[in-house]
């Protein structure tokens, strides 16, 4: 949940290009055929380790509860796919007060989208102000925002909870999302990008009679498209995978995010955990963010390497 | 910052920064200052009265064996997680750098866990390795390993470290691949012509040239292990068995939210803030200038 500090200086631009653009440049001198085979073998083993827990969860989500309770589980999917998924999605799960997983998915989607979009809007505006205007206290504001890098929720759990309950924001979408919308990472990223926009461009726009609004809408936003896409992927995942915050902010079962509800569904101590539904819920909690990462892979990789550097 | 062309506008910039500033002040600075303030107070058990006790809470925290234990747990957990996930990722990245066919495919298959919430990663691993229903736990037992993460502290630690490291492999992999591709190929080929074998080339050229990436990842992974893994601990072990997996952040949570020890929890928060500030400073000081290869 911590925003990883961003180094404001440039410097790693090359590596971004390298991740994205580098084409196969043929066999490298000194890498023998056999060592290339070994490399493939190691990579395949690595992928098995990386993918196996997810694959096995999928397998488990298609078996009956009885099969799961008698390990070892088969390596291939069973025939309960439709039964299990429809039961979890629409039937409601007893352990979490009969809330259907579709409700949880909806909550989580709202949270992830609101955090991603809200954060992008808030940060692009403040970065715009800090880079393209001169006003008293400009640098003070910049530092106020910057220092929030050092104040992750984890280090101020109880006081934050107190503030939220005083404001009556427990069990609300506002409470789940608004506090997470302000963070320095996105602002710093936009600031860094805006600083690379040549002054001539601003001047030309002003000569042509564009005010701050026109300049923002017609020049700055189109130029920032890639950055926005990249940030969107990262922030969507950030929002989707939140744990401590929704844990503190929700009491009602129907306001839970899917990750929190999943935790509530599991008990290793007692026997009546409905494992088949747990597995279905896990899959449903994993698939949306994975899809976002895979479909937007180009921006994601670029955004990651950019934001963190 | 270089002098820039700017818009002459008096009010607009304030309106633009206002949303972020408002959220920051209300949800960051206000609670953080409350944490500092509370850390100097002691409340009676009913929360009715509190009195100012200077640094008493800090003294209590730092002399509490439970806290020292969780410091140690955190150190073991963070170092192991960072080391395991970086070592595996580096190995895979080096291999990916060697192959010609299928690089893109490998990368695509490798980045999945990034999208998995830490808590879910923990639950998946617990599902695989739970003594009662874990399919892989059966494998361990048939090898004669006595394995019970629900009762044995070391086993529990191994389990949470595995889950935490697993989730972080994708991230480290992407950065190592980027770092490797930035190393000039000519350098490596020159060494190859001079007769240096692959292992030697790795340790004498590639690894030292990766130092900036490695150092950067070390800081990021430490921060990850300190804070983002709260979900894993909370969902998988709840700090137990005993207190064998109770990390600093988990302790702040359990002392504050579960046991209602406000002053003590606040003092721990303040200590954590100091740790974050130190880490951030380290990151800026060294990563900014880049660790240089002497």
């Amino acid at each position: 949940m911590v925003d990883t500090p961003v180094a404001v200086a440039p410097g790693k631009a090359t590596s971004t290009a390298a991740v994205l653009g580098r084409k196969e440049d043929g066999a490298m001198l000194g890498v023998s055929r056999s060592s290339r085979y070994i490399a493939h073998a190691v990579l395949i083993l690595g992928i098995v380790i990386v993918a196996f827990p997810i694959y096995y969860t999928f397998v488990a989500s298609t078996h009956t509860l009885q099969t799961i309770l008698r390990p070892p589980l088969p390596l291939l999917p069973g025939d309960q796919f439709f039964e299990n998924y429809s039961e979890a999605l629409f039937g409601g799960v007893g352990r979490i007060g009969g809330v259907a997983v579709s409700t949880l998915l909806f909550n989580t989607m709202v949270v992830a989208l609101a955090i991603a979009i809200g954060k992008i809007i808030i940060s692009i505006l403040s970065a715009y102000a800090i880079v393209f205007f001169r006003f008293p206290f400009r640098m003070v504001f910049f530092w106020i925002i910057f220092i929030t890098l050092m104040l992750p929720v984890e280090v101020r759990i109880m006081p934050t909870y107190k503030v939220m309950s005083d404001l009556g924001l427990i069990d609300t979408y506002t409470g789940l999302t608004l506090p997470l919308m302000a963070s320095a990472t996105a602002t710093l990223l936009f600031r860094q990008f805006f600083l690379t926009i040549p002054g001539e461009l601003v001047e030309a726009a002003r000569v042509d009679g564009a005010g701050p609004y026109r300049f923002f809408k017609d020049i700055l936003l189109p130029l920032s498209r890639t950055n926005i896409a990249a940030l969107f992927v990262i922030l969507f995942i950030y929002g989707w995978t939140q744990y401590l915050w929704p844990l503190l902010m929700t009491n009602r079962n129907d306001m839970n995010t899917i990750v929190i509800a999943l935790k509530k569904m599991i008990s290793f101590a007692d026997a009546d955990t409905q494992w088949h539904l747990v597995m279905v819920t896990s899959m449903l909690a994993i698939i949306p963010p994975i899809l976002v990462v895979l479909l937007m892979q180009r921006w994601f990789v670029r955004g990651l390497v950019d934001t963190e550097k | 910052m270089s002098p820039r062309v700017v818009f002459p506008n008096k009010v607009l910039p304030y309106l633009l920064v206002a949303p972020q500033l408002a959220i920051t002040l209300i949800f960051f600075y206000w609670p953080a200052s409350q944490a500092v303030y509370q850390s100097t107070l002691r409340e009676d058990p009913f929360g009715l009265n509190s009195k100012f006790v200077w640094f008493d809470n800090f003294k209590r925290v730092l002399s509490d064996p439970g806290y020292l234990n969780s410091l140690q747990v955190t150190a073991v957990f963070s170092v192991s997680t960072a080391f395991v996930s970086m070592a595996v990722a580096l190995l895979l990245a080096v291999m990916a750098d060697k192959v010609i066919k299928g690089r893109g495919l490998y990368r695509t298959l490798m980045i999945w866990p990034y999208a998995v919430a830490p808590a879910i990663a923990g639950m998946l691993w617990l599902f695989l390795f739970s003594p009662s229903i874990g399919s892989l736990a059966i494998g361990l037992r048939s090898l004669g390993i006595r394995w019970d993460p629900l009762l044995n502290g070391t086993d529990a630690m191994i389990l949470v470290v595995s889950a935490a490291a697993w989730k972080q492999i994708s991230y480290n992999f992407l950065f190592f691949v980027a770092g490797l591709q930035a190393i000039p190929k000519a350098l490596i080929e020159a060494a190859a012509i001079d007769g240096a074998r692959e292992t030697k080339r790795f340790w004498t050229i590639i690894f030292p040239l990766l130092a900036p990436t490695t150092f950067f990842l070390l800081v990021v992974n430490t921060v990850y292990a300190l804070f983002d893994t709260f979900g894993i601990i909370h969902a998988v072990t709840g700090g137990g068995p005993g207190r064998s997996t109770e990390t600093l952040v988990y302790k702040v949570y359990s002392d504050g939210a579960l046991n209602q020890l406000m002053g003590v929890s606040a003092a721990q928060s303040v200590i954590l803030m100091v740790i974050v500030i130190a880490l951030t400073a380290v990151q800026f000081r060294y990563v900014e200038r880049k660790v240089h290869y002497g």
Side-chain angles (χ1 to χ4, degrees):
Chain A
M1 233 185 257
V2 180
D3 282 321
T4 314
V6 176
V8 186
K12 272 293 168 173
T14 42
S15 55
T16 317
V19 177
L20 290 173
R22 191 170 242 275
K23 291 277 168 281
E24 330 288 20
D25 46 5
M28 196 209 296
L29 193 63
V31 177
S32 65
R33 183 174 289 252
S34 66
S35 84
R36 212 170 296 140
Y37 284 134
I38 296 173
H40 278 291
V42 174
L43 282 168
I44 289 166
L45 184 69
I47 283 167
V48 169
I49 294 174
V50 164
F52 185 74
I54 299 175
Y55 171 75
Y56 217 45
T57 307
F58 171 70
V59 170
S61 75
T62 61
H63 283 284
T64 59
L65 179 58
Q66 285 69 34
T67 319
I68 298 175
L69 288 177
R70 274 195 315 272
L73 196 67
L75 278 170
L76 292 175
D79 54 4
Q80 299 293 307
F81 180 86
F82 290 105
E83 287 84 346
N84 288 352
Y85 279 75
S86 61
E87 185 183 349
L89 269 176
F90 309 110
V93 182
R95 261 205 120 83
I96 48 172
V99 175
V101 176
S102 52
T103 312
L104 302 172
L105 276 176
F106 176 78
N107 288 346
T108 318
M109 192 61 87
V110 169
V111 168
L113 285 178
I115 290 177
I117 296 170
K119 227 174 179 174
I120 288 174
I121 294 175
I122 287 174
S123 336
I124 204 169
L125 291 181
S126 59
Y128 181 52
I130 284 171
V131 175
F132 291 100
F133 295 86
R134 289 292 170 274
F135 51 101
F137 303 116
R138 190 176 65 97
M139 285 320 277
V140 175
F141 291 155
F142 176 72
W143 280 102
I144 289 179
I145 293 169
F146 181 82
I147 287 171
T148 56
L149 280 178
M150 300 174 192
L151 299 172
V153 185
E154 283 81 353
V155 307
R156 49 189 170 81
I157 298 175
M158 291 328 289
T160 313
Y161 179 80
K162 180 111 195 341
V163 169
M164 299 305 289
S165 70
D166 288 349
L167 293 174
L169 290 175
I170 308 292
D171 282 329
T172 63
Y173 288 123
T174 316
L176 278 169
T177 55
L178 191 63
L180 299 182
M181 281 182 201
S183 81
T185 322
T187 311
L188 291 178
L189 182 77
F190 280 123
R191 171 182 173 270
Q192 199 174 337
F193 170 67
F194 289 167
L195 286 174
T196 65
I197 291 175
E200 290 80 13
L201 200 61
V202 190
E203 203 153 8
R206 281 183 55 186
V207 169
D208 289 346
Y213 174 71
R214 278 292 297 275
F215 176 74
F216 182 75
K217 183 172 131 295
D218 291 343
I219 297 177
L220 213 54
L221 269 188
L223 282 176
S224 318
R225 263 204 319 253
T226 345
N227 284 345
I228 293 176
L231 258 181
F232 177 81
V233 184
I234 291 171
L235 296 177
F236 182 85
I237 308 256
Y238 166 83
W240 190 278
T241 59
Q242 283 300 312
Y243 190 85
L244 179 58
W245 192 250
L247 182 71
L248 291 172
M249 281 311 112
T250 55
N251 295 322
R252 275 170 36 205
N253 284 319
D254 61 342
M255 282 303 289
N256 279 159
T257 60
I258 194 163
V259 184
I260 300 300
L262 197 56
K263 155 74 178 117
K264 287 188 184 169
M265 286 165 68
I266 295 185
S267 161
F268 280 86
D270 77 51
D272 65 316
T273 301
Q274 293 182 294
W275 285 103
H276 58 304
L277 298 184
V278 168
M279 292 300 136
V280 171
T281 313
S282 305
M283 282 317 289
L284 293 172
I286 293 173
I287 290 169
I290 285 189
L291 278 182
V292 170
V293 165
L294 291 184
L295 295 177
M296 296 180 78
Q297 197 181 145
R298 272 181 69 96
W299 292 285
F300 161 67
V301 173
R302 175 186 164 153
L304 202 61
V305 179
D306 271 2
T307 0
E308 309 290 10
K309 286 290 165 180
Chain B
M1 225 184 286
S2 57
R4 294 190 55 93
V5 185
V6 294
F7 292 104
N9 212 310
K10 293 273 172 279
V11 188
L12 187 61
Y14 291 102
L15 294 178
L16 291 171
V17 288
Q20 176 149 27
L21 221 54
I23 296 178
T24 306
L25 291 177
I26 298 173
F27 299 114
F28 284 72
Y29 285 91
W30 176 240
S33 60
Q34 285 293 304
V36 174
Y37 172 64
Q38 253 176 21
S39 71
T40 61
L41 297 180
R42 179 161 309 150
E43 289 191 352
D44 65 33
F46 306 103
L48 299 173
N49 291 304
S50 54
K51 74 171 196 271
F52 186 71
V53 292
W54 289 100
F55 298 110
D56 231 37
N57 287 323
F58 290 94
K59 267 186 230 150
R60 272 225 302 202
V61 166
L62 290 174
S63 60
D64 170 16
Y67 192 75
L68 300 178
N69 167 63
S70 82
L71 261 178
Q72 198 190 344
V73 166
T74 308
V76 171
F77 175 75
S78 308
V79 170
S80 327
T81 303
F83 178 79
V84 171
S85 86
M86 284 173 70
V88 173
L90 178 59
L91 175 71
L92 293 173
V94 168
M95 295 300 151
D97 203 43
K98 279 185 194 166
V99 305
I100 299 160
K101 287 209 179 74
R103 258 189 211 179
L105 182 67
Y106 284 128
R107 191 183 77 186
T108 303
L109 292 173
M110 210 68 88
I111 62 180
W112 292 26
Y114 180 82
V116 178
I120 295 185
M123 291 185 261
L124 298 190
W125 279 76
L126 183 51
F127 174 66
L128 290 175
F129 286 99
S130 123
S132 53
I133 58 162
S135 297
L136 297 187
I138 295 180
L140 286 181
R141 226 171 299 139
S142 68
L143 291 173
I145 300 169
R146 282 176 46 204
W147 168 261
D148 193 345
L150 301 180
L151 293 177
N152 180 314
T154 315
D155 291 356
M157 180 60 99
I158 293 174
L159 186 69
V160 287
V161 166
S162 309
W166 174 78
K167 192 208 136 32
Q168 196 66 357
I169 288 176
S170 335
Y171 183 93
N172 294 337
F173 176 79
L174 288 173
F175 275 89
F176 275 130
V177 167
L180 284 170
Q181 291 184 333
I183 295 176
K185 291 289 170 277
L187 223 56
I188 300 168
E189 295 185 342
I193 292 170
D194 287 345
R197 301 212 150 262
E198 276 184 60
T199 327
K200 179 152 191 205
R201 290 204 299 268
F202 177 78
W203 288 113
T204 56
I205 301 173
I206 297 176
F207 190 70
L209 284 178
L210 269 182
T213 309
T214 312
F215 188 80
F216 165 78
L217 285 177
L218 199 61
V219 176
V220 171
N221 280 277
T222 311
V223 173
Y224 162 80
L226 280 176
F227 301 105
D228 294 3
T229 52
F230 171 83
I232 298 183
I233 307 282
H234 184 261
V236 175
T237 65
R243 293 186 149 187
S244 54
T245 55
E246 189 177 67
T247 57
L248 291 173
V249 173
Y250 189 81
K251 195 166 162 55
V252 175
Y253 169 80
S254 72
D255 283 356
L258 306 178
N259 302 331
Q260 303 286 325
L261 301 165
M262 291 308 168
V264 174
S265 173
Q268 293 178 30
S269 288
V270 174
I271 296 174
L272 273 178
M273 278 187 224
V274 173
I275 296 178
V276 184
I277 290 170
L279 275 171
T280 315
V282 167
Q283 166 146 20
F284 271 83
R285 198 168 154 69
Y286 294 100
V287 178
E288 276 276 271
R289 288 214 243 107
K290 303 244 179 82
V291 193
H292 242 292
Y293 358 102

